Amino acid sequence: MQGISRQALFTAWKSAPADAPVLCATRRLADDLVRDYARQRHGEGATAWRAPDCRHWRAWLTDRYAEHVLAEARAGRTAPRLLSDAEARTLWRAVVEDATRNRPLLQTPGMSRLAAEAWQSAHDYHITLPLRLADDEDASAFDAWTRTFRDRLHALGAVTGAELPALLADSVRAGTLAVPGRLVIAALDRTTPAQQALLDTLAEAGSRLERLTPDEPVTPAITHQPCRDPGAELDVTARAIREHALRAPNARIGVVVPDLGGRLDALRRRFDAVLCPWLRPEDDPARRPYAVSQGDALAVQPVVATALAWLDWACSPGGVAIEDACRCLRSPYWLGAEHPAWLAGAEHTLRDRGFERVTPATAARALEYAEAPVALSAPLRGLVPDREQAPPSVWSQRFAALLDALRWPGALDSAEFQAQRAWNEALGDFARTDAVSGRITARAALSRLRDQLNDQPFQPQGGDTRIQVMGLLEAAGQHFDTLHVLGMDETAWPPGARPVALIPETVQRAAGVPQASADGQLARARAITGELLQSAPEIVLSWATTIDEQPVRLSPLLPAPAAPAEPAASAHPPAWQAQCPATEDWQDARAQPPPPSTALRGGERRLGEHAECPFRALAHHALAADAPAEPEPAPDARERGVLAHEIMAAIWRRLGDSGALDKLDAAAQRDLVGECVDACLDERRQRAPHRFSDGVVAVESSRMQRHANALLDADRARAPFHVEWLEGADIDSDARQRDHELTVHGVPLRVRPDRVDVVPGFGRIVIDYKTGRAASAVGNALSSPQLAVYAELVADCVGVAYAVLRAGDTGYAGLIDNDSVDALPTLTPVEKLRRPAADVLDDKDWPAVRRLWDAQLAATAAGLRAGDARVAPLAGVCRRCDLQPLCRIHARDRLATADDGDAA
């Protein structure tokens, strides 16, 4: 085959582009040839020129088959229809699903993908199908699938892309397809038998085949760069590329990574940190100064992943997990992105009410509860699951209409726009699969569309990027000023045998499939290595000397270094960061004080949290910086506590005083408690049926009846009393609850005591219900100030008590005046307090307790009025706090420890 240089090819294109068609091994090479030609013409001053005929192999086959179809039509014959890739994948999936219906596979899409690959390999290497190997279970299954696949192709009057080389060769031999007078072959040095047979047929029919060759032979200067580990290899390469690009801005720099798919994420992180540290997550990826040939699947591109998530939500009658629903709502690709406050309110409502699964209608109600406009909630109400069956073309239209109603995708950058365009093309391809799909459900349609998008790689196109990152196959025929070849260690190059699934290895080796044997892989690796070493005048070979803590060496297929070199290590931080000015440590421990004329948000709870940690109180109550509630299938501790309050309030509204309780016998008491518990649970169930199922109601009813009866039994042993307040409201009033205004040392509060009992002859006792452990009322810090604050509110208070409703601890616990012990005997008189609680009092009487509380409240109130926001937690507080990402106390502690170590 005669050779032609790149420059000679460009000259031929300049005179007559149609007379020098080029057939390239890869799309990347075809694009680069056209781009280099355009650059040369532009440099010559040309403003317009005829586009050359330069195609990669699959596009060239498709174009030639279109010519064959026209030729057949002119002769009065109908050629088979060429299935698109999407149609072929769908047909293989249908074949595999039907064949395994009685024994379903775990991964039907994966197996159908393997079947399609085996079909392609069989045609590429002239392997006769069916295989007819009865003793091989996989081969027998593939034979059965192949027969069904061929029958369906015949019924459709269609062919697949794998069959085109043989079909076109027959057309050329029959004289139906016209052959080009000249065809330039670029980087097709390792042809499959099917490719070579077609090229030989063209040559026999009169085509002059020419091979594209370098303009001049290259004798590269090779540099060896050992690195300590794969991460260091990426760092060292990125720094070398940056220095070279700064020295020679117009240089073409290539980076070849054999396992590019497996290292893509790590490569992007390291290259971004060195080559474009200014790139923010929200920036257009096309702004990167380097281009990667292998992109992620189209399905994982953010704008496409969002579309799939919305469609999945619309196709799920029972809704989706709350995390998935909130991810949709928070997406920037719909009309709600313009209203983050309403979306945050809706999410808070959904989490606060404990929804584990959310339907679009439920989300719409949450938005309406957050007072969002109807225009925001109406599209969600339109996401109604469609249960009928329809062909893919109908589902494509409905999917597009659903997304349009959401105003998807909104404003886009360049990469997102390209992803949206690819999505539209993929949706069109999916719509053309009616003939091979039939009528399917919405869920099945979405599943097949998702599989199609997962099989479709996507890489956004940028400008004329001179730094190219590619895999081994994409590097074929490329030429650079400098080439970096990574990962060429002895464990990776040459690669081991990787035979195609479903076809026996012996059959593949006999057919000459190179990846089916170690010898074939070795020969292929040697050929690729030779091509790489002719790709640039300067080549850097790098490898990790340690992988998984095991030493490795450079591949023996590559030129060995003249002398051993010290492995390079990662640079942390990168060199550009070392030139930045030192960071400044700045403490911000003062916040805007709460307004003195408005009740303190958070009330007495904020006082307690401020005593535990000033920053925690500020973040929770002033900044609303609460961690999102994690939904549970049953009531959580907070909701069980609210339920206990409601039940005990309902019971005492019926009783009123201890006299009414004493008149009840045990059975009547149990009936009363049962009625109140059931009424409160029914009310809760109406508000949150998703959390109060029959099983949950039965468990909660039994638990609360047991605790409430135990607490009433404790009330029977008390001195006579009557209840004055329930939930802050007078028991004789119609109100179920009431807030009281109280100013504590200049801080206005709005408080609501759970219950206040009047014990004639003694005074009032403040009661706070607890379903958890009761905290000590006296200590060095007033971390639970409710009882202390309520004691300030209630006149003639002689004691404070926790009414504990907890398995094994139900009863009353608290403090009482020494002279009022008989009012509630289970409370501890002040004079009998033990250490360390007794040590913080200046005397052993009730006034001493009130003086201590007053001093502690005064100190807490002074901190609040001063805007104290220090990160100063009491011991143990951090273990139950959700604010570490904000306060960064652990980072501060590590720095302090490091400083102490340096000082030592």
Side-chain angles (χ1 to χ4, degrees):
M1 188 181 298
Q2 189 177 1
I4 180 174
S5 69
R6 182 175 292 215
Q7 187 54 51
L9 174 64
F10 289 174
T11 302
W13 278 354
K14 185 176 179 180
S15 59
D19 294 339
V22 179
L23 173 57
C24 298
T26 65
R27 182 193 301 271
R28 190 180 191 87
L29 178 57
D31 292 343
D32 283 353
L33 283 173
V34 173
R35 188 182 297 114
D36 289 349
Y37 175 64
R39 189 182 297 116
Q40 181 175 356
R41 293 305 311 274
H42 183 73
E44 295 171 351
T47 57
W49 53 86
R50 189 179 297 276
D53 184 5
C54 185
R55 296 285 189 273
H56 62 92
W57 175 258
R58 183 60 188 273
W60 184 83
L61 286 179
T62 303
D63 290 348
R64 300 294 79 76
Y65 188 70
E67 295 174 3
H68 167 76
V69 170
L70 289 175
E72 289 287 278
R74 284 193 291 267
R77 297 185 294 270
T78 301
R81 180 171 70 89
L82 176 62
L83 291 186
S84 67
D85 290 342
E87 289 178 298
R89 282 192 297 265
T90 302
L91 184 57
W92 270 117
R93 177 168 176 170
V95 168
V96 174
E97 284 179 344
D98 290 345
T100 59
R101 196 173 301 280
N102 294 329
R103 292 194 337 181
L105 301 172
L106 291 176
Q107 286 290 339
T108 299
M111 183 56 72
S112 61
R113 196 176 297 116
L114 293 178
E117 293 174 0
W119 172 265
Q120 179 71 51
S121 294
H123 286 82
D124 285 345
Y125 291 93
H126 293 166
I127 298 174
T128 302
L129 295 178
L131 299 170
R132 294 188 173 89
L133 297 173
D135 57 341
D136 190 306
E137 184 178 358
D138 288 345
S140 298
F142 183 55
D143 279 349
W145 299 345
T146 299
R147 283 191 290 268
T148 305
F149 187 74
R150 278 178 167 166
D151 290 344
R152 295 190 182 184
L153 283 177
H154 180 73
L156 292 170
V159 295
T160 63
E163 301 168 271
L164 289 187
L167 192 153
L168 292 177
D170 292 342
S171 181
V172 169
R173 283 190 288 267
T176 304
L177 181 64
V179 299
R182 178 186 187 187
L183 182 63
V184 179
I185 309 298
L188 271 172
D189 300 319
R190 297 177 303 281
T191 55
T192 65
Q195 290 174 325
Q196 191 59 50
L198 177 56
L199 294 177
D200 291 344
T201 302
L202 291 174
E204 293 169 1
S207 286
R208 186 174 83 251
L209 303 184
E210 302 178 34
R211 187 179 303 282
L212 185 65
T213 59
D215 291 335
E216 56 186 43
V218 176
T219 304
I222 298 178
T223 302
H224 295 83
Q225 181 59 74
C227 302
R228 289 187 181 177
D229 53 58
E233 183 183 23
L234 294 174
D235 280 341
V236 170
T237 302
R239 294 201 304 271
I241 291 173
R242 184 174 187 271
E243 293 171 1
H244 191 157
L246 290 175
R247 288 197 313 269
N250 294 324
R252 285 172 54 85
I253 302 174
V255 181
V256 173
V257 186
D259 183 23
L260 182 56
R263 302 182 70 180
L264 186 56
D265 291 339
L267 183 143
R268 282 178 176 156
R269 287 195 302 269
R270 307 279 181 146
F271 275 37
D272 285 352
V274 176
L275 299 178
C276 46
W278 39 264
L279 189 71
R280 300 172 299 176
E282 63 270 20
D283 287 343
D284 187 349
R287 296 182 60 195
R288 286 188 172 105
Y290 64 94
V292 182
S293 66
Q294 182 173 340
D296 298 315
L298 180 57
V300 303
Q301 302 305 312
V303 64
V304 175
T306 298
L308 291 173
W310 276 106
L311 293 176
D312 183 60
W313 198 5
C315 295
S316 301
V320 296
I322 188 171
E323 292 80 7
D324 296 329
C326 292
R327 195 175 296 115
C328 286
L329 295 177
R330 291 195 299 262
S331 162
Y333 302 111
W334 76 296
L335 63 91
E338 303 171 2
H339 311 288
W342 284 321
L343 297 181
E347 180 175 350
H348 184 274
T349 298
L350 292 172
R351 291 185 178 277
D352 189 57
R353 297 190 178 183
F355 284 95
E356 286 191 289
R357 301 190 67 80
V358 180
T359 63
T362 303
R365 289 194 297 271
L367 283 168
E368 292 161 0
Y369 184 80
E371 300 182 353
V374 176
L376 195 59
S377 59
L380 295 181
R381 293 193 177 278
L383 299 181
V384 179
D386 203 331
R387 300 178 185 274
E388 69 171 315
Q389 293 189 343
S393 58
V394 173
W395 289 123
S396 295
Q397 295 174 4
R398 293 181 183 177
F399 290 165
L402 285 174
L403 295 174
D404 286 343
L406 295 167
R407 294 222 306 249
W408 175 91
L412 303 176
D413 60 29
S414 172
E416 293 167 337
F417 175 77
Q418 293 178 61
Q420 184 212 10
R421 185 173 59 187
W423 158 270
N424 291 334
E425 294 172 356
L427 204 58
D429 291 340
F430 178 68
R432 288 187 283 273
T433 63
D434 285 1
V436 297
S437 291
R439 300 177 68 84
I440 54 179
T441 63
R443 295 294 301 174
L446 182 60
S447 175
R448 295 187 181 184
L449 177 60
R450 190 188 300 276
D451 289 341
Q452 175 184 328
L453 298 174
N454 278 320
D455 289 338
Q456 182 174 341
F458 172 78
Q459 177 61 37
Q461 300 297 314
D464 184 13
T465 306
R466 298 181 182 272
I467 303 174
Q468 301 284 331
V469 181
M470 67 203 81
L472 281 170
L473 297 181
E474 291 87 2
Q478 300 281 350
H479 295 279
F480 302 95
D481 296 313
T482 297
L483 180 66
H484 293 261
V485 185
L486 281 65
M488 303 295 274
D489 60 80
E490 60 185 351
T491 66
W493 196 247
R498 297 171 184 170
V500 177
L502 300 178
I503 300 177
E505 294 182 28
T506 54
V507 175
Q508 295 184 51
R509 286 196 293 268
V513 180
Q515 61 265 35
S517 65
D519 290 341
Q521 290 283 56
L522 177 60
R524 181 168 173 264
R526 281 176 172 157
I528 293 175
T529 301
E531 294 171 5
L532 282 178
L533 296 180
Q534 292 294 309
S535 299
E538 297 180 6
I539 296 179
V540 180
L541 302 177
S542 64
W543 72 99
T545 59
T546 302
I547 298 179
D548 295 333
E549 300 182 358
Q550 297 297 320
V552 294
R553 296 173 296 180
L554 180 66
S555 169
L557 298 185
L558 296 167
E566 183 67 22
S570 300
H572 294 296
W576 63 266
Q577 285 188 355
Q579 300 173 5
C580 296
T583 58
E584 179 184 358
D585 185 12
W586 184 56
Q587 295 289 337
D588 182 14
R590 292 291 172 187
Q592 183 72 26
S597 59
T598 305
L600 184 68
R601 183 176 179 178
E604 68 274 16
R605 294 192 307 277
R606 184 169 177 182
L607 290 176
E609 289 197 15
H610 189 93
E612 291 182 329
C613 176
F615 176 80
R616 184 168 183 254
L618 175 80
H620 278 160
H621 300 288
L623 305 180
D626 296 305
E630 292 298 330
E632 297 181 9
D636 57 15
R638 182 183 65 85
E639 196 163 9
R640 287 197 297 270
V642 173
L643 178 63
H645 281 68
E646 293 174 348
I647 290 171
M648 296 310 301
I651 291 172
W652 281 108
R653 283 194 186 93
R654 296 273 296 272
L655 292 174
D657 56 33
S658 58
L661 175 62
D662 292 338
K663 293 178 182 178
L664 299 178
D665 58 18
Q669 176 182 311
R670 287 194 298 271
D671 291 342
L672 171 64
V673 170
E675 292 173 7
C676 293
V677 168
D678 290 344
C680 291
L681 280 172
D682 285 344
E683 186 176 348
R684 282 274 155 186
R685 189 172 193 172
Q686 291 176 8
R687 281 189 267 173
H690 58 287
R691 293 169 62 78
F692 286 86
S693 62
D694 291 342
V696 169
V697 168
V699 170
E700 288 299 316
S701 176
S702 174
R703 184 181 68 86
M704 285 309 306
Q705 288 189 52
R706 186 170 60 254
H707 293 334
N709 278 303
L711 190 60
L712 290 179
D713 290 342
D715 282 316
R716 288 178 181 272
R718 295 173 50 186
F721 66 92
H722 69 267
V723 178
E724 184 176 36
W725 286 356
L726 287 172
E727 298 297 322
D730 192 281
I731 194 171
D732 295 326
S733 70
D734 294 332
R736 300 186 64 177
Q737 58 187 30
R738 176 192 166 198
D739 291 335
H740 296 263
E741 303 287 342
L742 176 68
T743 299
V744 177
H745 294 282
V747 176
L749 299 176
R750 185 177 290 115
V751 298
R752 186 191 306 162
D754 292 346
R755 175 174 147 196
V756 175
D757 288 356
V758 177
V759 185
F762 294 101
R764 291 179 172 83
I765 298 177
V766 176
I767 297 174
D768 192 53
Y769 290 111
K770 282 286 183 183
T771 53
R773 292 186 180 276
S776 174
V778 174
N780 288 306
L782 193 59
S783 57
S784 298
Q786 293 95 326
L787 294 178
V789 172
Y790 299 158
E792 291 290 325
L793 176 68
V794 176
D796 194 22
C797 178
V798 296
V800 293
Y802 289 115
V804 181
L805 295 113
R806 186 170 181 267
D809 291 334
T810 300
Y812 291 97
L815 282 178
I816 195 166
D817 186 1
N818 297 332
D819 297 330
S820 304
V821 176
D822 293 338
L824 213 169
T826 58
L827 300 187
T828 302
V830 179
E831 62 184 2
K832 292 187 178 180
L833 274 176
R834 297 181 180 180
R835 303 179 64 180
D839 293 341
V840 299
L841 297 174
D842 59 15
D843 205 344
K844 293 185 178 182
D845 55 15
W846 181 245
V849 173
R850 300 295 295 272
R851 287 193 299 271
L852 174 65
W853 285 346
D854 185 70
Q856 291 173 332
L857 289 172
T860 302
L864 280 168
R865 293 197 311 272
D868 184 10
R870 292 172 298 119
V871 179
L874 298 178
V877 171
C878 290
R879 287 196 296 271
R880 50 187 172 84
C881 181
D882 54 4
L883 297 173
Q884 286 90 343
L886 286 181
C887 73
R888 301 172 64 186
I889 184 170
H890 299 307
R892 184 196 68 181
D893 292 345
R894 284 195 297 270
L895 289 175
T897 303
D899 291 341
D900 293 342
D902 293 342

